[in-house]
């Protein structure tokens, strides 16, 4: 996304694209249904924990580790093959997201660096910083052209400026742009998809839209499928109004599906069959 738009608040401008206000409203209604459920008044901590687990599972599925939920619950060792390491990284990121809210609005780049440290769990000197010229990126499921290191640095700075400045854009718009920009840039040498989806979650929590983190967009992204996810991402990368609107709407639908999943969990908790 270009941050040199003449509009004073480019994120707010995206919120007026055709179809985006409707996506925002539909998503908000789905979120409100979860927060209005009677279980939320008594057992919100349980729902938050369950949403974190399901969100991590969904995010890992989009990065190539598509495990059944019960397998994720059962496993304690995530140090084996690449799928296990991906799942472990997703679980660590899900646990970390809520700890970084106070830093995000002041120093988003610091948060992103921390997320890479958590996800990579490695002593490699490329961990915890944006990649440098010539460094390769391991992100096999995203086949977009890879921006150079100088472009990555400039666009990360622009994204950070937008986040720090705030503005009147709906939370969905900001979350979708953060998510899309990080996937387009792949600023780290690994785990960019997991980090992008975690950053989306941080925006949705920190904005006040989903303060208890019970509407995991990652669940919805996984349910919509990898093909639809990558097709919507192509729209973001195109930079056209239609493409941007389609990506934002896709992210809104993902939050709706995450909210629907948590509503089902609420019903199960209410029946005593969680």
């Amino acid at each position: 996304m270009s941050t040199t738009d003449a509009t004073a608040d480019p994120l707010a401008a995206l919120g007026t694209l055709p179809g985006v206000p409707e996506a925002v409203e539909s998503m908000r209604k789905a979120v409100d249904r979860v927060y209005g459920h009677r279980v939320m008044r008594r057992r919100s901590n349980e729902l938050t924990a369950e949403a974190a687990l399901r969100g991590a599972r969904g995010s890992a599925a989009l990065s190539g580790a598509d495990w059944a939920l019960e397998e994720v619950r059962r496993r304690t060792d995530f140090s084996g093959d690449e799928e296990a390491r991906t799942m472990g990284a997703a679980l660590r990121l899900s646990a970390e997201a809520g700890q970084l809210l106070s830093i995000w609005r002041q120093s988003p780049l610091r948060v992103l660096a921390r997320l890479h440290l958590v996800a990579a769990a490695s002593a490699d000197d490329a961990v915890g910083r944006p990649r440098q010229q010539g460094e390769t990126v391991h992100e096999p499921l995203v086949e977009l052209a890879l921006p150079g290191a100088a472009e990555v640095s400039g666009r990360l700075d622009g994204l950070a400026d937008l986040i720090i400045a705030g503005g009147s854009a709906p939370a969905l718009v900001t979350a979708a742009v953060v998510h899309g920009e990080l996937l387009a840039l792949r600023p780290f040498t690994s785990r960019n998809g997991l980090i992008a989806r975690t950053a989306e979650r941080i925006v949705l929590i920190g904005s006040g839209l989903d303060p208890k983190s019970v509407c995991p967009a990652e669940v919805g992204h996984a349910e919509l499928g990898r093909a639809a996810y990558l097709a919507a991402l192509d729209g973001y990368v195109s930079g056209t109004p239609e493409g941007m609107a389609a990506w934002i709407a896709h992210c809104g639908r993902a939050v709706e599906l995450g909210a629907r999943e948590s509503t089902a969990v609420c019903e199960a908790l209410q029946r005593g069959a969680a």
Side-chain angles (χ1 to χ4, degrees):
M1 176 191 175
S2 172
T3 58
T4 58
D5 193 310
T7 307
D9 188 349
L11 294 182
L14 292 177
T16 66
L17 290 174
V20 172
E22 293 82 358
V24 169
E25 181 62 20
S26 181
M27 178 204 67
R28 186 174 296 280
K29 287 179 179 177
V31 172
D32 287 346
R33 279 194 292 273
V34 179
Y35 277 86
H37 199 285
R38 61 187 300 178
V39 167
M40 281 294 293
R41 295 194 293 271
R42 297 177 287 109
R43 304 176 71 176
S44 64
N45 288 343
E46 292 174 68
L47 193 60
T48 295
E50 186 65 19
L53 182 70
R54 293 177 184 233
R57 193 216 72 81
S59 190
L62 287 168
S63 287
D66 192 359
W67 290 12
L69 185 61
E70 290 312 311
E71 175 67 7
V72 182
R73 291 190 204 280
R74 184 187 69 79
R75 288 283 286 267
T76 57
D77 181 6
F78 298 95
S79 62
D81 59 15
E82 176 59 20
E83 284 195 12
R85 291 192 294 273
T86 297
M87 185 62 69
L91 289 166
R92 290 192 300 273
L93 287 171
S94 190
E96 188 79 5
Q99 312 302 315
L100 299 171
L101 295 174
S102 62
I103 306 171
W104 175 256
R105 284 296 298 271
Q106 286 74 41
S107 185
L109 298 186
R110 182 179 160 199
V111 168
L112 293 175
R114 171 63 185 169
L115 292 177
H116 190 230
L117 281 167
V118 169
S122 164
D124 190 290
D125 64 4
V127 171
R129 61 160 174 78
R131 58 185 167 83
Q132 298 173 355
Q133 195 63 35
E135 290 181 328
T136 58
V137 174
H138 180 68
E139 204 73 41
L141 302 178
V142 179
E143 298 179 349
L144 299 168
L146 193 66
E151 181 180 350
V152 168
S153 178
R155 287 173 62 176
L156 279 179
D157 286 344
L159 183 64
D161 289 345
L162 286 175
I163 293 165
I164 293 167
S168 60
L172 171 61
V173 172
T174 304
V177 167
V178 167
H179 184 170
E181 193 72 353
L182 292 174
L183 271 182
L185 294 177
R186 281 145 292 158
F188 301 106
T189 56
S190 64
R191 306 298 188 201
N192 292 284
L194 296 178
I195 290 167
R197 292 184 287 276
T198 303
E200 179 185 47
R201 175 183 281 234
I202 289 172
V203 173
L204 294 171
I205 300 169
S207 68
L209 176 75
D210 182 19
K212 294 184 181 294
S213 190
V214 295
C215 302
E218 306 97 319
V219 167
H221 286 302
E223 184 173 336
L224 290 166
R226 190 179 300 153
Y229 182 68
L230 295 177
L233 178 62
D234 284 343
Y236 177 86
V237 172
S238 75
T240 65
E242 297 79 11
M244 296 291 289
W247 170 250
I248 294 166
H250 184 88
C251 290
R253 180 61 179 152
V255 178
E256 284 187 55
L257 291 171
R260 186 180 72 178
E261 178 108 344
S262 286
T263 300
V265 173
C266 283
E267 295 295 329
L269 287 170
Q270 188 166 280
R271 293 191 306 268

